[in-house]
Amino acid sequence: MTFSSRMTRSPDAFDPELGQEAATAFGDAPSEVRALIAGAAGCSPYLAGLLQKEADWLRGALDAPEAAVEDVIGGISTLSLPQLSDGLRQAKRRTALLVGLADLGGVFTLEDVTRALSQLADAAVNVALRRLVEAEITRGKLPGLTPDDAATAGGMVSIAMGKGGAYELNYSSDIDLICLFDETRFDPDAYHDARAAFVRVTRKMAGLLSELTGEGYVFRTDLRLRPDPSVTPVCLSMEAAERYYESVGRTWERAAYIKARAASGDIAAGERFLKTLRPFVWRKHLDFVAIQDAHDMRLRIREHKGLGGPISLPGHNMKLGRGGIREIEFFTQTRQLIAGGRDASLRARGTVDGLAALAQAGWVPDSDAAILTDHYRAHREVEHRLQMIGDAQTHDLPNTEDGFARLAAFMGRSVADLRRDLKARLEEVHSLTEGFFAPAQTAETPDFGEDVTSRWLTYPALRSDRAVEIFNRIKPQLLKALQEAAKPDEALAALDGFLSRLPAGVQVFSLFEANPQLTQLIVDIASTAPALAEYLGRNAAVFDAVIGGDFFADWPGAEALQADLTRVVGTAPDYEARLDAARRWMKEWHFRIGVHHLRGLISADVAGQHYADLAQAVLGGVFPVVAAQFATKHGDGPGRGAVVVGMGSLGAGRLHAASDLDLIVIYDGQGGEASDGPRPLPTRTYYARLTQSLVTAISAPMAEGRLYEVDMRLRPSGGQGPVATSFARFEPYQMEEAWTWEHLALTRARVIAGDATLAKDVEAARARVLAAKAAGDTVLADVADMRRRIAQAKDPQGPFDAKIGQGRLQDVELAGQTVALKSGALGRSTAQQVAAGSLDAADKAALMQAAGLCWTVQAAAQLLQGRSLDAGQLGEGGRRFILRETGADTLETLAEQMAEKSRDAADVIATLLGGGDEKGG
């Protein structure tokens, strides 16, 4: 296709004579191209001058504009140092002219235009750095470097910031650069000489590009985005820059690095540097504090530039004014900062790409993203026309009628139509973005609970002025929601406990302010489940999960959970970071299960399965991480490695909110004597220490808390046995030495993590042992004795103790294991085990009804109070939850039902263990 056939628009000549004069020089061009040239020259004195100077080149370039631009930019790399000044300016003229005409004619999209200008800047900076560094090497000013090092600028890199980093440069952009050098390429003694040389290179590069000569200029260069520019040199070491951002980096600098790109020089070193800054830019938790920071920044810009007040078109700044480009960019970048630490898909450099990613992830409504994208593109085209007129770095709309007439002609529109469109777009952008940034007016605080609320200012979460300011804005809504609780005073007391445990408040309060639905959720939790509220006080970051987009989606299952955790820990840079990532991940999913249970979205049985799936995923995701870390010191484990076996409730696939994990580890050294790492260990010692490392990783309290408490007393020989069991010894021990209680425990054993072939062999061994022990003569007597000792050891904690007591949960589970052992059945859950024996239907029903009711109460109690149910400490919200879960009318009725069903179950168990008719067969 020809240039003219691709044209979709053309400007009108504001100065027809000047336009006609320019078009005459292209008399052999198609009429559409002559009209475009006339319109461009008739509106832009700058383009008229370029047309005159580059006419011969342009005639050929119009045939294939993309290839012509590529050739111009590609030719820059061949320029020698003496050729740079004139050669770069010629490249700038030609690119500006051709890109400008292609833009005005609709041949290039906005993205085509900004990418071409950005690539020109990259190429210009790159060749300048390489040639100038080469000169420093030749003069011996960069110790240890050879001429070959000039190809990577001797370790120096230019980080393109702002629009340049996002390939969004406008027609007369400054280029914002941060210049750094890789200090690791130099001996410590040569550091100062190297820095001085790179500072000279930076200054010469900036002067070379910025100086206005008879041939024009290349790019105005701004180096002020570097760390602390008033006191730091124009080129810093990467180590110094990293130290600055880690210690005193601010929110606006985080936002600036969203668009940052290693653009010129040693790009590989630049990309390594940007990777080290990811934790600074992208916080691990949702960062709603960024909203207030961005709003404050907007207000400071408006005040500094005098851009406050209502939108008025004459002189309005299309970049910084109300409804302008910067508001769309701030809106996009702030949303990216909030959630980009958790969702890497949001880390797009470009504004349009960022809006699309935010919409895709549900952070911005699709309609808002589409509207802002349309306005952004329209604003950028207006900005380009303003700058094309005189090659001026301006964003201001004209102040005169003539000025507006010129701009309208340049855009091929009437003045009235342009004014109307501009006003509508600016006002809609302002309307969409202002509500996101500007805090709402603080409502009147209800007169409620002053005896409690008066002490809130003494809590750690409210020790900063900023925390107090944000909290005062959400306090009225919190108190209003508390007043609407079934028992407001109880809810207030629970919320008070939550606030008192918060170590800091700014992040959490900002989260509440930006997401009002969380206010009701915390009130619901505080008024219903004090244990869950206490958990939140220690782990407030789990609120992130609620607004992450899929908090109320269907349960993914253990396999998908493990895959997700593996992905999460795989992105962490080191061992401790991987464990911390696992802890954060686990807490969010754990919180989700609790909220779903609390709100009646899942039953106690389903919650139990979900908690077990989560624990399985955690062990499956963390064990390989621990094993890999252990192997760095001691080598890979001899033989097939090890498996982690879940015992007790984990093996049975049902946990509650406060469950610990009963585990054993079985390894198969396959005759190997030792590992083969830097510090080899004997096989038995290797797997014992690996097990200890796993237990530490799972249970040690760290900055992000712990994953689970771990109990390994169900391993062979109990607490006296080795922490890891050899597979070669496992089956012989179970066959020849194990006690009945160990065989009972084996009925619920399930391999959770580790080598797949070993897992199959362990399960096969389990099946053989259970089949062999089914005929045991002493099983019933042993279990009866165990049952008596359990009853003597611990009394039930009141009528609502669902676990301890005759016919309660522990008793029924013991009966189920007994039935499974006597029948050689492989089922692990209580329901499977009870069903496996020859009990009659009525007895099975009695056991399962007692187990079902007791589990429902147990799961609810652990969620609400973190212990056996204490009805005296149960608030109104908790009481309603318990009654909803159990279907009882009152707590008194519930106690009677538990007592009745437990008596029926206890009778069945007594008969089973009595041996008279041996119903458990």
Side-chain angles (χ1 to χ4, degrees):
M1 295 177 67
T2 63
F3 190 94
S4 59
S5 67
R6 295 170 63 186
M7 288 176 55
T8 61
R9 62 191 180 190
S10 186
D12 302 321
F14 176 73
D15 184 337
E17 291 185 11
L18 185 60
Q20 186 58 42
E21 181 183 340
T24 300
F26 291 83
D28 55 344
S31 58
E32 297 89 350
V33 174
R34 292 200 306 275
L36 172 64
I37 289 172
C43 290
S44 167
Y46 171 63
L47 289 179
L50 293 185
L51 282 162
Q52 187 176 15
K53 191 155 190 169
E54 298 292 346
D56 292 340
W57 173 81
L58 181 62
R59 287 186 178 88
L62 287 172
D63 293 335
E66 289 88 356
V69 171
E70 186 177 333
D71 287 346
V72 168
I73 295 174
I76 288 174
S77 64
T78 65
L79 296 173
S80 65
L81 184 58
Q83 295 172 325
L84 284 184
S85 180
D86 289 348
L88 290 177
R89 282 158 178 77
Q90 181 188 69
K92 171 65 180 294
R93 287 195 307 271
R94 290 179 172 180
T95 303
L97 175 58
L98 183 53
V99 167
L101 291 174
D103 182 5
L104 291 168
V107 175
F108 282 7
T109 65
L110 173 67
E111 286 74 19
D112 293 334
V113 171
T114 59
R115 178 169 286 273
L117 295 170
S118 303
Q119 289 174 335
L120 174 68
D122 291 350
V125 174
N126 188 54
V127 72
L129 292 183
R130 289 170 59 190
R131 297 294 179 261
L132 291 167
V133 166
E134 186 177 30
E136 293 290 324
I137 293 172
T138 301
R139 295 170 57 215
K141 298 299 183 180
L142 283 168
L145 298 192
T146 69
D148 290 341
D149 291 309
T152 56
M156 181 180 175
V157 65
S158 165
I159 306 292
M161 306 294 287
K163 288 183 170 63
Y167 291 109
E168 293 176 339
L169 281 184
N170 57 43
Y171 204 75
S172 294
S173 276
D174 292 353
I175 52 173
D176 294 303
L177 305 177
I178 294 178
C179 292
L180 306 168
F181 70 94
D182 181 2
E183 73 286 348
T184 64
R185 292 182 66 165
F186 300 92
D187 291 335
D189 292 344
Y191 171 83
H192 292 290
D193 287 341
R195 186 178 71 172
F198 287 127
V199 166
R200 285 192 299 273
V201 167
T202 304
R203 288 177 175 155
K204 289 177 181 178
M205 177 269 294
L208 176 67
L209 299 182
S210 302
E211 184 183 3
L212 182 61
T213 72
E215 298 297 316
Y217 71 100
V218 190
F219 287 100
R220 289 174 292 270
T221 305
D222 192 334
L223 303 172
R224 291 174 296 174
L225 287 183
R226 70 184 185 276
D228 209 354
S230 62
V231 297
T232 56
V234 292
C235 186
L236 293 85
S237 70
M238 293 179 180
E239 187 271 336
E242 183 181 351
R243 194 168 60 244
Y244 166 86
Y245 291 120
E246 286 180 349
S247 58
V248 296
R250 291 157 290 183
T251 299
W252 74 262
E253 289 170 307
R254 293 175 54 212
Y257 268 94
I258 292 176
K259 294 179 181 290
R261 177 173 57 87
S264 306
D266 192 343
I267 291 177
E271 288 176 344
R272 289 194 299 272
F273 170 75
L274 292 177
K275 186 176 181 180
T276 66
L277 288 196
R278 283 180 192 166
F280 163 67
V281 180
W282 306 109
R283 300 291 166 84
K284 60 191 177 186
H285 300 305
L286 294 178
D287 185 18
F288 283 91
V289 176
I291 298 176
Q292 183 69 45
D293 289 340
H295 179 59
D296 292 344
M297 199 185 316
R298 291 164 72 241
L299 296 182
R300 285 196 297 271
I301 290 172
R302 286 182 186 173
E303 182 178 353
H304 176 66
K305 300 287 186 180
L307 299 173
I311 294 172
S312 176
L313 292 184
H316 188 80
N317 191 301
M318 290 297 297
K319 178 181 179 181
L320 302 177
R322 287 177 181 260
I325 295 166
R326 183 56 55 84
E327 297 214 332
I328 301 173
E329 291 174 337
F330 270 20
F331 176 90
T332 305
Q333 291 172 354
T334 305
R335 285 288 194 185
Q336 289 176 289
L337 284 180
I338 288 169
R342 293 169 54 87
D343 184 352
S345 72
L346 302 181
R347 300 175 190 177
R349 290 188 177 100
T351 302
V352 170
D353 290 341
L355 283 168
L358 290 165
Q360 178 69 28
W363 284 97
V364 175
D366 289 342
S367 59
D368 287 1
I371 290 168
L372 289 174
T373 296
D374 180 57
H375 292 332
Y376 175 78
R377 287 189 166 124
H379 283 6
R380 291 299 305 273
E381 288 206 348
V382 173
E383 176 188 50
H384 282 183
R385 303 303 176 268
L386 290 169
Q387 295 176 352
M388 281 182 189
I389 291 171
D391 190 29
Q393 177 67 351
T394 181
H395 308 277
D396 294 342
L397 293 174
N399 274 307
T400 65
E401 290 298 327
D402 272 1
F404 254 103
R406 182 187 292 271
L407 178 61
F410 213 5
M411 301 192 72
R413 307 176 69 172
S414 70
V415 173
D417 179 48
L418 177 61
R419 285 180 179 274
R420 187 166 49 249
D421 186 55
L422 283 171
K423 189 73 177 294
R425 289 182 182 278
L426 290 166
E427 287 179 346
E428 188 165 26
V429 169
H430 183 67
S431 174
L432 279 174
T433 58
E434 187 72 8
F436 170 64
F437 287 110
Q441 294 296 313
T442 302
E444 184 176 346
T445 302
D447 183 16
F448 166 60
E450 275 195 52
D451 55 326
V452 175
T453 62
S454 61
R455 62 174 175 258
W456 284 353
L457 289 176
T458 67
Y459 292 164
L462 288 156
R463 60 189 161 205
S464 73
D465 291 342
R466 189 170 188 188
V468 172
E469 177 186 347
I470 301 169
F471 185 73
N472 283 339
R473 293 200 294 266
I474 65 171
K475 184 177 175 182
Q477 185 183 359
L478 270 174
L479 293 179
K480 183 174 182 294
L482 288 167
Q483 284 182 303
E484 294 171 356
K487 288 196 174 181
D489 290 336
E490 287 181 0
L492 177 62
L495 180 69
D496 177 62
F498 165 74
L499 291 174
S500 69
R501 283 183 288 270
L502 279 179
V506 171
Q507 281 283 1
V508 175
F509 301 153
S510 297
L511 186 71
F512 283 3
E513 184 176 31
N515 300 273
Q517 74 274 21
L518 293 185
T519 303
Q520 188 60 54
L521 178 61
I522 185 59
V523 169
D524 288 349
I525 292 172
S527 60
T528 305
L532 191 55
E534 182 178 347
Y535 179 85
L536 281 176
R538 297 191 306 269
N539 304 285
V542 300
F543 274 122
D544 291 1
V546 182
I547 53 179
D550 57 359
F551 188 76
F552 294 104
D554 292 339
W555 184 250
E559 186 175 335
L561 284 171
Q562 182 174 329
D564 186 52
L565 176 57
T566 300
R567 176 191 61 79
V568 168
V569 299
T571 63
D574 54 47
Y575 180 64
E576 290 303 328
R578 293 184 188 102
L579 295 183
D580 277 344
R583 294 175 185 120
R584 290 192 298 272
W585 180 92
M586 176 270 186
K587 289 176 185 301
E588 290 185 1
W589 283 100
H590 194 276
F591 176 60
R592 169 186 152 139
I593 298 168
V595 171
H596 281 217
H597 188 193
L598 191 67
R599 292 208 156 173
L601 301 176
I602 56 176
S603 66
D605 279 336
V606 173
Q609 175 199 327
H610 289 183
Y611 283 124
D613 282 352
L614 178 61
Q616 178 179 332
V618 167
L619 289 167
V622 169
F623 184 48
V625 172
V626 174
Q629 176 68 15
F630 194 78
T632 61
K633 297 179 181 178
H634 305 294
D636 292 330
R640 288 190 289 176
V643 292
V644 181
V645 182
M647 307 294 285
S649 296
L650 175 60
R654 189 172 72 176
L655 301 176
H656 57 64
S659 289
D660 58 11
L661 304 185
D662 293 306
L663 303 176
I664 66 173
V665 172
I666 299 174
Y667 67 90
D668 184 10
Q670 293 183 314
E673 294 184 0
S675 63
D676 59 357
R679 286 185 279 170
L681 293 172
T683 298
R684 182 175 178 178
T685 304
Y686 183 99
Y687 286 108
R689 291 191 186 176
L690 174 61
T691 301
Q692 290 164 344
S693 294
L694 174 64
V695 172
T696 299
I698 297 293
S699 62
M702 306 298 287
E704 297 287 347
R706 63 160 57 91
L707 287 165
Y708 294 96
E709 296 279 4
V710 173
D711 189 338
M712 300 198 72
R713 289 175 296 175
L714 292 181
R715 66 185 185 269
S717 300
Q720 304 304 312
V723 292
T725 301
S726 164
F727 177 65
R729 280 283 303 142
F730 174 70
E731 187 171 351
Y733 173 85
Q734 293 288 343
M735 290 291 195
E736 301 163 11
E737 302 176 39
W739 297 75
T740 298
W741 71 263
E742 294 177 282
H743 295 146
L744 292 171
L746 195 62
T747 68
R748 305 176 90 184
R750 177 166 61 101
V751 176
I752 300 295
D755 180 80
T757 60
L758 179 56
K760 289 180 181 179
D761 289 348
V762 169
E763 176 57 22
R766 170 179 174 267
R768 289 192 294 270
V769 170
L770 293 180
K773 298 301 177 180
D777 294 335
T778 65
V779 170
L780 295 179
D782 289 345
V783 174
D785 182 58
M786 288 173 58
R787 188 171 182 244
R788 281 191 296 272
R789 284 189 283 113
I790 290 171
Q792 292 168 358
K794 191 171 185 180
D795 293 326
Q797 297 178 8
F800 295 104
D801 191 330
K803 180 179 180 181
I804 303 298
Q806 299 273 308
R808 302 285 166 130
L809 194 58
Q810 186 181 62
D811 205 26
V812 175
E813 289 177 345
L814 183 63
Q817 293 168 54
T818 303
V819 171
L821 180 58
K822 287 293 292 176
S823 61
L826 299 180
R828 297 177 173 87
S829 72
T830 300
Q832 291 171 328
Q833 293 179 338
V834 168
S838 58
L839 292 169
D840 62 36
D843 287 350
K844 290 177 180 178
L847 290 177
M848 293 315 302
Q849 286 174 13
L853 180 59
C854 287
W855 171 255
T856 298
V857 173
Q858 173 79 342
Q862 294 293 340
L863 177 65
L864 299 182
Q865 297 179 324
R867 59 183 186 277
S868 294
L869 185 63
D870 183 348
Q873 297 296 315
L874 198 63
E876 179 61 20
R879 186 188 70 83
R880 293 184 180 187
F881 174 67
I882 291 285
L883 297 181
R884 186 196 75 204
E885 287 289 291
T886 60
D889 295 329
T890 65
L891 289 177
E892 291 74 17
T893 302
L894 175 60
E896 292 169 3
Q897 292 175 350
M898 292 178 68
E900 178 185 354
K901 292 184 182 301
S902 295
R903 278 195 301 272
D904 292 344
D907 290 343
V908 173
I909 296 170
T911 302
L912 169 67
L913 300 181
D917 55 10
E918 201 154 318
K919 291 183 181 180

